[in-house]
Amino acid sequence: MAIIKSAKKAIRQNKRRRVRNLIYINKIKSLVKQVRTFSFQKKVNEARELLPRIYQILDKAAKVGVIKKNTASRKKSRIAKLLDRNK
């Protein structure tokens, strides 16, 4: 357990940030999972409808620093490639 006042404050800040970051991470995971499920079920149109939402949440997560810019770009690329393969 932290003893120094600044260390205690850092712990409080980390807890708040973790809650905020988990919102983005969980949203990304759930949307990607939905798209993969639709893709494997050959429901490409439903998956394509989710694509703008995924792009939006990935860009926002990269902007606020939850994930890195190249990670967001890589995820978008792989999802697009997956949907193109299952046309």
Side-chain angles (χ1 to χ4, degrees), residues 31-83:
L31 285 172
V32 168
K33 198 173 191 178
Q34 284 179 349
V35 167
R36 287 186 188 280
T37 306
F38 283 143
S39 176
F40 292 134
Q41 294 174 352
K42 304 295 183 191
K43 296 180 180 177
V44 180
N45 290 334
E46 289 89 339
R48 288 202 183 279
E49 290 173 8
L50 288 177
L51 216 52
R53 286 180 51 206
I54 292 175
Y55 284 4
Q56 182 182 14
I57 196 76
L58 283 169
D59 289 337
K60 180 68 173 181
K63 182 181 175 186
V64 297
V66 175
I67 58 175
K68 293 189 175 184
K69 184 177 70 167
N70 287 346
T71 303
S73 179
R74 184 180 66 244
K75 286 182 183 288
K76 291 193 292 190
S77 173
R78 287 181 181 172
I79 290 168
K81 191 165 36 167
L82 175 72
L83 293 180

Side-chain angles (χ1 to χ4, degrees), residues 8-24 66:
K8 290 179 182 177
K9 181 178 179 181
I11 290 171
R12 291 194 308 269
Q13 288 174 326
N14 287 337
K15 286 180 184 176
R16 282 195 300 268
R17 289 176 184 156
R18 177 163 173 73
V19 169
R20 209 175 308 140
N21 291 343
L22 279 174
I23 292 169
Y24 287 105
V66 175

